[in-house]
Amino acid sequence: MYSRKGDVLDIAYLGGIVAGVVMVIFGIISSGGVSALGNFVDVPSIIITIGGSLTSCLACNKMPDFIAGLKGMTLAFKEPPIGDPTAVIGNIIDMANVARKEGLLALEESANQIEDEFLKKGINLVVDGTDADLVRAILETDMDSTEARHKKVIAFWDKWAEMGPAWGMIGTLVGLVNMLKNLSDASTIGPNMAVALLTTLYGSLLANWLAGPTSAKLGVNDAIEMSVRTVTVEGLLSIQAGENPRVIEEKLKTFLAPSARSGVGTPEEGAGGE
Amino acid sequence: MYSRKGDVLDIAYLGGIVAGVVMVIFGIISSGGVSALGNFVDVPSIIITIGGSLTSCLACNKMPDFIAGLKGMTLAFKEPPIGDPTAVIGNIIDMANVARKEGLLALEESANQIEDEFLKKGINLVVDGTDADLVRAILETDMDSTEARHKKVIAFWDKWAEMGPAWGMIGTLVGLVNMLKNLSDASTIGPNMAVALLTTLYGSLLANWLAGPTSAKLGVNDAIEMSVRTVTVEGLLSIQAGENPRVIEEKLKTFLAPSARSGVGTPEEGAGGE
Amino acid sequence: MYSRKGDVLDIAYLGGIVAGVVMVIFGIISSGGVSALGNFVDVPSIIITIGGSLTSCLACNKMPDFIAGLKGMTLAFKEPPIGDPTAVIGNIIDMANVARKEGLLALEESANQIEDEFLKKGINLVVDGTDADLVRAILETDMDSTEARHKKVIAFWDKWAEMGPAWGMIGTLVGLVNMLKNLSDASTIGPNMAVALLTTLYGSLLANWLAGPTSAKLGVNDAIEMSVRTVTVEGLLSIQAGENPRVIEEKLKTFLAPSARSGVGTPEEGAGGE
Amino acid sequence: MYSRKGDVLDIAYLGGIVAGVVMVIFGIISSGGVSALGNFVDVPSIIITIGGSLTSCLACNKMPDFIAGLKGMTLAFKEPPIGDPTAVIGNIIDMANVARKEGLLALEESANQIEDEFLKKGINLVVDGTDADLVRAILETDMDSTEARHKKVIAFWDKWAEMGPAWGMIGTLVGLVNMLKNLSDASTIGPNMAVALLTTLYGSLLANWLAGPTSAKLGVNDAIEMSVRTVTVEGLLSIQAGENPRVIEEKLKTFLAPSARSGVGTPEEGAGGE
Amino acid sequence: MYSRKGDVLDIAYLGGIVAGVVMVIFGIISSGGVSALGNFVDVPSIIITIGGSLTSCLACNKMPDFIAGLKGMTLAFKEPPIGDPTAVIGNIIDMANVARKEGLLALEESANQIEDEFLKKGINLVVDGTDADLVRAILETDMDSTEARHKKVIAFWDKWAEMGPAWGMIGTLVGLVNMLKNLSDASTIGPNMAVALLTTLYGSLLANWLAGPTSAKLGVNDAIEMSVRTVTVEGLLSIQAGENPRVIEEKLKTFLAPSARSGVGTPEEGAGGE
């Protein structure tokens, strides 16, 4: 009933990243043939572009934030782990009905079936009779904690998206200087310059194919998660205050992205807890 | 009487987009002759520029927002679907006069003739005797819903305008590397470089001819629509409150873009509902 | 007495625009000789740069705003049409003295001599005994109307300054592709590339010589006009309230750009209405 | 005692500007020898870069603001003309002690020895028994006047820093087009291109060596001057209110840049007015 | 017990800077061989890029701020000198327990063992019975002083990161002009152009490898330090107010970055002062 969507793939992100690679490979093959693919893989160029930009990110961040930033990429592949807001509101209205009919203590049982730690913690606080202000403070502290962690990860990817092209240009300048110092053999000019340009290409891909979209997607996910968490907190406090389930529903819907409002509380969504 | 303008073409947008194509074709022909036109169509380059930038947009957005963004282009071709503010205010004053003379219930008949769902919904709420605060809340929720949907579409086009030149440069770098690796046949250098530059050209056109203006026009339309919606809400609430039609007119005119105020309530505009 | 300065040329703008042309011509002649001037006029390049950037501006704006934007350039050549603030304050103090000695009705005669429609409308409202709040509302509505119109014109020129270099680059890319496709005749490479670069030159001039400064000057003029209008409204309301002319003078001077304060009320400025 | 520092050179600005020239000359000589210096002086290029960017600045500004902007450069060479805040606070505490022991009138004598017109005007207002609100209004009007004047000068240099590279590029494009039209004599290509690049070099120097730092330094000076003026106003009003000198000292120190606080009121600084 | 971490190296910064050098050297060797390393060291190019950008920074700043800015680099290598927030809160809770049991005077002894001047000063103020408002004012003045000093240092590095590439381009333009003036010996073109590009490379490294990350790291450190100082002030005032140690702990944890909250007050952290 209270399903978590943490392992549902974000097909837009996955599809976008994969299709981006396909586009680049298609571009290479269409202009240079399949044999040209090898021309676009140059390990030292990859090391200087990715490695260099990562070293700048490292110098910009505290070590734990750097590691958390790198790990954060996995989050972009998955839907936010808290289900969609419509379902969350449905759950809360169900619980409001239960609480109304059977008392707050009856929620304890529901809590055990919930996988989302945040909602579980909230229900337990409510069932334990914790003071409303303290429930809010504890849950909002938890939200702040999550959002601050997200923001640092997003900032990491923004910085990498900025540093990728910068180190791509550094790599190209290194290659150009080397090439210009050795112009005697004219036949090597072209290939050497090609290699020099690879770091600029890698840097541009890093920024526009990987790091930029990752930062954007993590930002979208954070907004969704925070909005659901806010709904959850307000809902739990309303249940604790013994408000009418219908009033709770109206109240919670105002927190949602408007387009998501219509689905809540309709029979198909199974809001009928009574 | 309550005409919708949803199918009226925005001739500035349509004309601007078409004239932009004409300008590019003119530029090609004037510098290279008619036969040069073929040099500017390279399907793989189109795929890598448009496809690549779209894959980045896909990775940045949730799937439904991506699809809604693409579809949003059709909105730029049309005037906002709610008529011009002057006419809307005229309608509201007519209704205020009707309500004053024949009571709120007399508006029900008018509502049936109205095509604009928003205004219709508002009148029905007023006729049903819904509480004023609730009328406002429901209508503003509807407005928020519309605006949030618009903003996501605008953000999609902004992102595409940013990604177009980025992928244009990626395409050019791919082409340059391929070209530089095969400098042996000097006669192919020029044509190969020409093809490499095409993605930069496509990316620049994508940003400055299509995606940028589309985002700008959608933004202008959103501002117009939101302003008319605001006027509508205030007008309906004033009618419900039984305010004098003359006072309503003065009040509503302050919500309009100032330049549109003078036309309201003049005889030609047919405000004479009595 | 209440002179309008609407037809006074802004010599800084006119001089800057003319001197800019002189600078470019000087640059051409000094590096290429008089005969080189012809190399810099290429009608197709002019059409693609100016035409292309205008089509993008067209697609971005509603048709009436596009036309108003273009027409707005004439405003940059002229001083704002409302005289300088010092003179306006002088006029208001004169009127305050007249009103104090002979009553508000005595201002009606003065109003007939005034060319500035805004001030005239304000005096007539005051003489008619309109309620102070309504006087303020009507005049501020008029100001808002003027400012909104100005802002759209300024936004048009900002957009053109942005689109000029973009279309200059598009034109250059078109020229380069054409040139690279036909490298066989080496003697045409230079001249063809020269022509290709012309659109970049035109786009850069459009942005930095014409559209950018026009936007900046229109912004400065708008700020001056709004400041004088604000002073006028406050002054008229003070006259209506029967305040002491000396107090009015002190009050109005705080609205001016500080450097303009000292000239007000000195004998030479003829403030001595009594 | 109340010394002005208006003629004290800002050695950082002077040193930075001079050292910048030295750096450029060093760079020229190190890569091209002393004889190369002549290659870097091209009067027409100087005229088009500096003249062109100035004409754009002229078109952007009202004539008096343009002239004031140019003259403003002399201010960057000098320390702000009002002494350092520590000394100013010392002076005010001295005066507070005098006023406490001998009455406000005793300050009149001190005022005559003060060179700073602002402080002098303030003391005279206080001695004359002007109402505190009026003293504050008059002095803050004076401050606003000074700051508005500074801001326009800073905006002028910002605009010049923006226009320098833009006109440098225009000059280079003009030179390139001329060069490309006359490729027949291969021996002139290099030198012609060198000259074409000079305007880009001049524009870059204008922005990064002169106009940018001038704007930055004028901004720093404005901040210092406004902070001292604020301290002066608060101090004079405190003296007028008859506050205890010790309290005044504590109060004024909170207005200073924190690092300057420790020096105030220590014996060495001669705060001991009693 | 109250250890300072001022001499603990920031391994992320140190590692990032060192690894960045390694990346560049790796890039050089991988594309040009070990012998190419010498091609990348050109003392005049280093002088013009670093020297030129520093002279612009000098002209932008007051002399003392320029010197403090340069010295500020050493701060980036070290962890902020005030220990981690978790330990600071632990200390404050210990002191709260001591104060509760043995009175405020018992803290005097603890103060003598503390190395952090800020905490020491705060404890002494509390022990001396200073008024709470004054304690807060004095400590916040101290914090403002520290933060203002930090901000100026950060601004210095931001400006240097901006000026590095600008002077790199100036150096390259100087080199290009010299090269183009002497094209007669074709064999020198390549090497001369290589040297010209070195300043662009140096400028890019300065911005992206050194100055940008230094500014970012100093900003992170400032945020950490200010957050700990804020906790310290609130904690000391709570101790002075005689609040319950448990309440103080809850209160202080809300000031921390959320992720750091869980460690406070657990047995392992040794919060058990009682």
Side-chain angles (χ1 to χ4, degrees), chain C residues 10 12-13 16 19-20 23-24 26 28 30-32 36 39-40 79 190-191 194 200-201 204-205 208 213 216-217 221 258 261, chain D residues 44 47-48 51-52 55-56 58-63 141 144-145 148 163 166-167 169-170 173-178 180-181 183:
Chain C
D10 182 323
Y13 181 77
M23 284 297 159
V24 175
F26 168 80
I28 294 170
S30 71
S31 86
N39 295 340
F40 286 84
E79 294 291 335
T200 294
L201 176 60
S204 192
L205 280 171
N208 297 297
K217 179 58 59 84
N221 284 353
R261 286 174 196 166
Chain D
I47 291 175
I48 195 174
T55 64
S56 286
L58 180 60
C60 287
N61 287 287
K62 292 289 171 192
M63 188 60 89
T141 293
D144 289 349
S145 165
M163 285 297 131
W167 278 84
M169 197 184 92
I170 288 170
L173 285 167
V174 166
L176 282 180
V177 170
N178 272 328
L180 290 164
K181 284 281 186 182
L183 287 179

Side-chain angles (χ1 to χ4, degrees), chain A residues 46-201:
Chain A
I46 292 172
I47 292 174
I48 194 173
T49 310
I50 298 188
S53 53
L54 275 181
T55 63
S56 287
C57 290
L58 180 61
C60 287
N61 288 287
K62 292 290 174 192
M63 186 61 89
D65 298 334
F66 176 78
I67 292 166
L70 272 177
K71 281 187 187 159
M73 192 184 177
T74 58
L75 298 172
F77 280 103
K78 292 185 284 189
E79 293 293 331
I82 52 168
D84 70 293
T86 315
V88 167
I89 295 186
N91 289 348
I92 289 172
I93 295 165
D94 288 355
M95 291 192 291
N97 282 312
V98 170
R100 208 143 212 246
K101 283 200 240 150
E102 311 169 29
L104 280 173
L105 289 178
L107 293 176
E108 200 155 25
E109 199 180 342
S110 312
N112 293 333
Q113 300 163 6
I114 295 173
E115 288 183 39
D116 180 18
E117 287 300 325
F118 184 83
L119 185 52
K120 201 174 198 169
K121 185 181 186 179
I123 294 169
N124 283 328
L125 284 166
V126 167
V127 170
D128 292 353
T130 315
D131 179 69
D133 282 352
L134 192 53
V135 173
R136 177 184 293 279
I138 291 171
L139 294 180
E140 291 188 346
T141 293
D142 197 296
M143 280 174 64
D144 290 350
S145 165
T146 304
E147 178 144 53
R149 208 170 56 233
H150 290 177
K151 294 282 183 216
K152 278 186 178 175
V153 173
I154 292 169
F156 169 85
W157 287 90
D158 281 339
K159 180 59 84 177
W160 202 7
E162 181 194 336
M163 284 298 132
W167 278 84
M169 197 183 92
I170 288 170
T172 297
L173 286 166
V174 166
L176 283 180
V177 169
N178 272 329
M179 182 198 81
L180 289 163
K181 285 280 186 184
N182 300 292
L183 286 180
S184 53
D185 181 358
S187 70
T188 65
I189 295 177
N192 283 347
M193 188 147 174
V195 174
L197 283 181
L198 280 181
T199 55
T200 294
L201 175 61

Side-chain angles (χ1 to χ4, degrees), chain D residues 114-132:
Chain D
I114 296 172
E115 288 183 40
D116 179 18
E117 287 302 323
F118 184 83
L119 185 52
K120 200 176 200 167
K121 185 179 181 179
I123 295 171
N124 282 328
L125 283 167
V126 167
V127 169
D128 291 354
T130 315
D131 180 69

